[in-house]
Amino acid sequence: MTASDQPRPHSPGDAFVPKYRLPDWYLDHATPPADPAPVAWHSVDNPAIDFAARCRMCAAAEVVPVTIRSHQGLLVWMRGQSLDGPWCRRCGTSFIRKYSTRTLCLGWWNPLSLLVGAPAALVANAAAYRQLRRLPPPVPLPGHPQPDLGRPVLQRPPAYVALIPLACCIALIAALVSRI
Ligand SMILES: [Zn+2]
């Protein structure tokens, strides 16, 4: 056996030359390569997550598509605000408490607000809260903080400003009735 017949270890310059070629019938029917590495489930940038169907604040999956409203009225000026969902239980409750308290404080100082605007916003928020209460506790995605839940509406002093127009209405009705 001569030196040229001896098997040689591969050197970096060696180009790989396949000894066999895959047959055409195999190449035609071979299964395509698998998708690239799957994205981790906890990844914030997971493109598989449909954020439009998740909580707008914390991206939790357990949501309902409710709208949260507030109303403000002063003499001849009125303003309504709304936050379209979907919302999870915690984020929705937090905003309902905030918006309802603002309505109870600032929503009465215009005749149309007193009769229509503020009651409509409060009724809508109460209906939204009933739907949110049926949801399980949300699990936010990493990197999406949830707002502070805050105190219930009746534990917030500004909400009791609503007693002023309520007392005025009762006094007005009592005055009208007393003339009958
Ligand atoms: Zn949320």
Side-chain angles (χ1 to χ4, degrees):
M1 183 179 283
T2 63
S4 60
D5 295 331
Q6 294 287 333
R8 294 178 296 123
H10 286 292
S11 62
D14 285 347
F16 173 72
V17 179
K19 192 170 184 180
Y20 301 104
R21 182 178 177 280
L22 292 170
D24 291 337
W25 62 265
Y26 178 83
L27 293 173
D28 289 344
H29 298 91
T31 52
D35 289 338
V39 180
W41 65 270
H42 52 75
S43 169
V44 179
D45 299 316
N46 188 340
I49 294 178
D50 180 12
F51 283 95
R54 288 176 169 252
C55 176
R56 283 185 55 191
M57 189 77 190
C58 71
E62 305 83 4
V63 293
V64 285
V66 292
T67 299
I68 299 166
R69 301 179 189 282
S70 80
H71 184 88
Q72 298 164 60
L74 179 64
L75 300 179
V76 294
W77 173 84
M78 286 194 301
R79 185 173 78 152
Q81 286 181 296
S82 62
L83 289 174
D84 292 326
W87 298 108
C88 73
R89 179 172 170 167
R90 183 185 177 92
C91 300
T93 301
S94 172
F95 285 117
I96 283 178
R97 288 176 173 177
K98 186 176 177 183
Y99 272 44
S100 297
T101 304
R102 185 187 298 168
T103 302
L104 286 167
C105 182
L106 303 171
W108 311 102
W109 314 109
N110 172 304
L112 208 56
S113 298
L114 179 69
L115 296 173
V116 180
L122 293 173
V123 168
N125 286 352
Y129 181 61
R130 272 200 299 276
Q131 292 188 59
L132 288 166
R133 245 187 355 185
R134 298 192 199 110
L135 293 175
V139 181
L141 281 186
H144 292 73
Q146 291 181 312
D148 182 24
L149 201 52
R151 288 178 291 176
V153 173
L154 294 182
Q155 292 180 23
R156 301 183 185 209
Y160 289 92
V161 173
L163 293 176
I164 297 171
L166 187 65
C168 291
C169 284
I170 292 173
L172 183 65
I173 292 170
L176 290 173
V177 170
S178 65
R179 292 186 182 181
I180 296 174

